[in-house]
Amino acid sequence: MFGPRKPFGTPAHLQQHSLAKTLSWPHLIALGVGAIVGTGIYTLVGVGAERAGPAVILAFIVCGVVCGCAALAYTEMATLIPAAGSAYTFSYTALGETVAWVVGWSLILEYSLACSTVAVGWSGYLVGWIQAAGIHLPAALLVGPHGGGLINLPAVFVSLAVMGMLILGTRQSATLNIVLVVIKLVALTIFVVYALPAFKSGNLQPFMPYGFGSTEIGGHKRGVMAAAAIVFFAFYGFDAVATSAEETKNPKRDLTIGIIGSMLVCTVIYMAVAIAAIGALPFTQLANSPEPLALVLRQLSQPFAAQLIALAAVIALPSVILVMMYGQSRIFFVMARDGLLPRRLATVSPRSGGPTMITLLTGLTIAAVAGFFRLDEIAELANAGTLIAFISVGVCLIVLRRTAPDMPRLFRCPAAYLVGGLTVAGCLYLLSSLPTATLGRFVIWNVIGLVIYFAYGRRKSDAGRPAPLVTA
């Protein structure tokens, strides 16, 4: 029904199609935190406040619960099948090639648009920081056509710069990412220290002005779940850790620590920052600000701290782009290695141990999207791709518990059927809360993907003649 499946284990392909094992658990926690803590909390908190009011705090809680369940499912699957490809590889093993293609095609959407979203958010902080310093650049080069400009040049620049870092090599990029993660965490701590003392309970009233469910008001989705459907972007990133399984030195220990550890750290950070921001300033002032945290501090007469926050975002947000672009390139790599995309793309550089050609293609695409499209529209479409991937992992967890119950699991998800079911149900609810136009674009994307699959991928893939496999 779903096409052929892969045996369990890590592919033992030729050297040019194998990734070097260079990462340990500190790199993986930094990769996870680097992906999770970024544009979502630095920028989308303003978009979420506009959709839910002060109840955006509840939106973060909803997303945290759903993503917590997904993280547990991902951890079991990543340690059971420690191969590159994340949800794509899990789906290929448990559900077959056709479903895997849909998941992989959705992951391409997730990672590429996530990178573009963060690049646009980074541009907003850079422009705000430069203007606060008294420097004014041509507006036509700072925003895309949607805002009356020509191109968001800073967003294009940062996308290409991160692409260059990844081409240099995975380990070098991951080590630099640790430094950037520390900068982000210090900046968010500074924000909480300055904003929390200004907390006013009156700023939380009315707490839920648009209700809990996602409803259309004035042509726009409003409510806690409408906010959750976009701030959900703030939580994913741990799945990028799962894509590094094949490059991890000790998958049993390192993947478990990396995925669960990064989720715990980020959930605590998000709740502290969201409460401090909403409590310090009326949500109407935060709504849709391109730099909400810096805005809060400026309104609190803390211009120096605001400049520090903006500078930290400018320095450290590229770490999110780095992790997401890394994940995107690995999804492309595995799909190409399986023959679903041209196999030549899966060639690994003997110098860096990474797929240079795919990284170059990914970076150029991300830069183009970041230069011309709006932040909220990009984030919503990226979320649609992510939700499909999370749903598939929840289903894979349940299916493999039934079809392969005796397989040794390095990490066993507690209450697997409940966790898998909550992951699927929660993600379906969030998916249904996205704007209708976003869901329409997502359907069009997958129709294009299925045409490519049946016209090329299905005929060229390794289906029915898989390469020899060995367990990790």
Side-chain angles (χ1 to χ4, degrees), residues 32-162:
V33 175
I36 299 169
V37 177
T39 292
I41 196 65
Y42 272 97
T43 301
L44 289 179
V45 65
V47 179
E50 185 263 341
R51 297 189 180 192
V56 68
I57 297 171
L58 289 183
F60 278 111
I61 293 175
V62 169
C63 292
V65 171
V66 173
C67 288
C69 292
L72 291 171
Y74 259 96
T75 304
E76 174 165 326
M77 294 304 302
T79 53
L80 181 66
I81 309 170
S86 183
Y88 161 78
T89 299
F90 308 155
S91 298
Y92 207 148
T93 301
L95 305 175
E97 183 181 273
T98 305
V99 174
W101 169 269
V102 173
V103 172
W105 194 246
S106 297
L107 284 171
I108 290 172
L109 190 71
E110 169 197 341
Y111 285 121
S112 59
L113 295 189
C115 288
S116 300
T117 302
V118 179
V120 175
W122 178 87
S123 176
Y125 270 94
L126 175 67
V127 172
W129 184 76
I130 290 176
Q131 290 178 345
I135 302 172
H136 297 278
L137 302 174
L141 299 180
L142 302 179
V143 66
H146 59 83
L150 295 176
I151 186 173
N152 192 329
L153 201 56
V156 172
F157 168 77
V158 73
S159 300
L160 296 179
V162 171

Side-chain angles (χ1 to χ4, degrees), residues 228-304:
I230 191 166
V231 301
F232 174 78
F233 180 91
F235 276 88
Y236 63 78
F238 61 84
D239 52 329
V241 177
T243 69
S244 69
E246 196 171 318
E247 295 166 90
T248 301
K249 295 177 181 177
N250 184 348
K252 176 179 180 179
R253 179 197 66 188
D254 296 343
L255 284 174
T256 303
I257 295 174
I259 295 175
I260 296 179
S262 59
M263 269 300 298
L264 289 175
V265 169
C266 293
T267 300
V268 172
I269 292 170
Y270 276 17
M271 296 316 303
V273 172
I275 291 170
I278 297 297
L281 207 64
F283 77 90
T284 52
Q285 294 185 40
L286 282 176
N288 286 323
S289 168
E291 41 163 5
L293 303 191
L295 172 65
V296 168
L297 294 177
R298 280 197 292 269
Q299 293 294 317
L300 295 179
S301 300
Q302 298 289 347
F304 180 69

Side-chain angles (χ1 to χ4, degrees), residues 72-448:
L72 291 171
Y74 259 96
T75 304
E76 174 165 326
M77 294 304 302
T79 53
L80 181 66
I81 309 170
S86 183
Y88 161 78
T89 299
F90 308 155
S91 298
Y92 207 148
T93 301
L95 305 175
E97 183 181 273
T98 305
V99 174
W101 169 269
V102 173
V103 172
W105 194 246
S106 297
L107 284 171
I108 290 172
L109 190 71
E110 169 197 341
Y111 285 121
S112 59
L113 295 189
C115 288
S116 300
T117 302
V118 179
V120 175
W122 178 87
S123 176
Y125 270 94
L126 175 67
V127 172
W129 184 76
I130 290 176
Q131 290 178 345
I135 302 172
H136 297 278
L137 302 174
L141 299 180
L142 302 179
V143 66
H146 59 83
L150 295 176
I151 186 173
N152 192 329
L153 201 56
V156 172
F157 168 77
V158 73
S159 300
L160 296 179
V162 171
M163 177 192 74
M165 283 192 293
L166 273 176
I167 289 175
L168 288 177
T170 299
R171 183 177 178 84
Q172 293 87 337
S173 300
T175 302
L176 172 63
N177 184 57
I178 293 176
V179 177
L180 298 181
V181 166
V182 171
I183 292 173
K184 281 194 294 188
L185 297 184
V186 170
L188 292 176
T189 301
I190 291 173
F191 172 79
V192 172
V193 167
Y194 277 100
L196 201 55
F199 182 90
K200 296 178 181 177
S201 58
N203 288 335
L204 300 184
Q205 302 301 326
F207 183 69
M208 201 183 297
Y210 308 116
F212 184 82
S214 177
T215 56
E216 191 163 310
I217 302 175
H220 300 281
K221 287 290 187 78
R222 295 286 187 271
V224 172
M225 290 308 299
I230 191 166
V231 301
F232 174 78
F233 180 91
F235 276 88
Y236 63 78
F238 61 84
D239 52 329
V241 177
T243 69
S244 69
E246 196 171 318
E247 295 166 90
T248 301
K249 295 177 181 177
N250 184 348
K252 176 179 180 179
R253 179 197 66 188
D254 296 343
L255 284 174
T256 303
I257 295 174
I259 295 175
I260 296 179
S262 59
M263 269 300 298
L264 289 175
V265 169
C266 293
T267 300
V268 172
I269 292 170
Y270 276 17
M271 296 316 303
V273 172
I275 291 170
I278 297 297
L281 207 64
F283 77 90
T284 52
Q285 294 185 40
L286 282 176
N288 286 323
S289 168
E291 41 163 5
L293 303 191
L295 172 65
V296 168
L297 294 177
R298 280 197 292 269
Q299 293 294 317
L300 295 179
S301 300
Q302 298 289 347
F304 180 69
Q307 282 289 80
L308 283 180
I309 291 291
L311 180 60
V314 169
I315 294 173
L317 277 184
S319 69
V320 185
I321 307 173
L322 186 149
V323 177
M324 291 297 182
M325 194 179 294
Y326 166 84
Q328 165 70 93
S329 65
R330 270 47 184 181
I331 297 297
F332 259 136
F333 169 80
V334 179
M335 293 178 75
R337 187 169 65 182
D338 290 337
L340 293 171
L341 295 172
R343 203 179 301 274
R344 193 164 64 92
L345 294 175
T347 302
V348 174
S349 166
R351 179 189 60 81
S352 66
T356 301
M357 189 182 304
I358 283 181
T359 303
L360 181 64
L361 176 64
T362 300
L364 293 175
T365 303
I366 288 166
V369 174
F372 296 102
F373 292 92
R374 274 173 38 188
L375 181 143
D376 57 344
E377 291 180 345
I378 304 172
E380 287 168 343
L381 198 50
N383 283 356
T386 307
L387 287 166
I388 290 298
F390 283 12
I391 290 169
S392 74
V393 174
V395 172
C396 287
L397 174 69
I398 294 171
V399 167
L400 290 181
R401 279 295 184 95
R402 292 184 64 86
T403 60
D406 298 326
M407 281 197 64
R409 287 164 168 80
L410 303 181
F411 171 84
R412 292 187 68 87
C413 174
Y417 293 106
L418 175 62
V419 169
L422 288 174
T423 299
V424 173
C427 289
L428 283 173
Y429 190 21
L430 287 171
L431 189 65
S432 69
S433 300
L434 287 168
T436 304
T438 299
L439 294 175
R441 295 186 192 107
F442 182 63
V443 170
I444 292 171
W445 170 259
N446 273 291
V447 168
I448 293 171

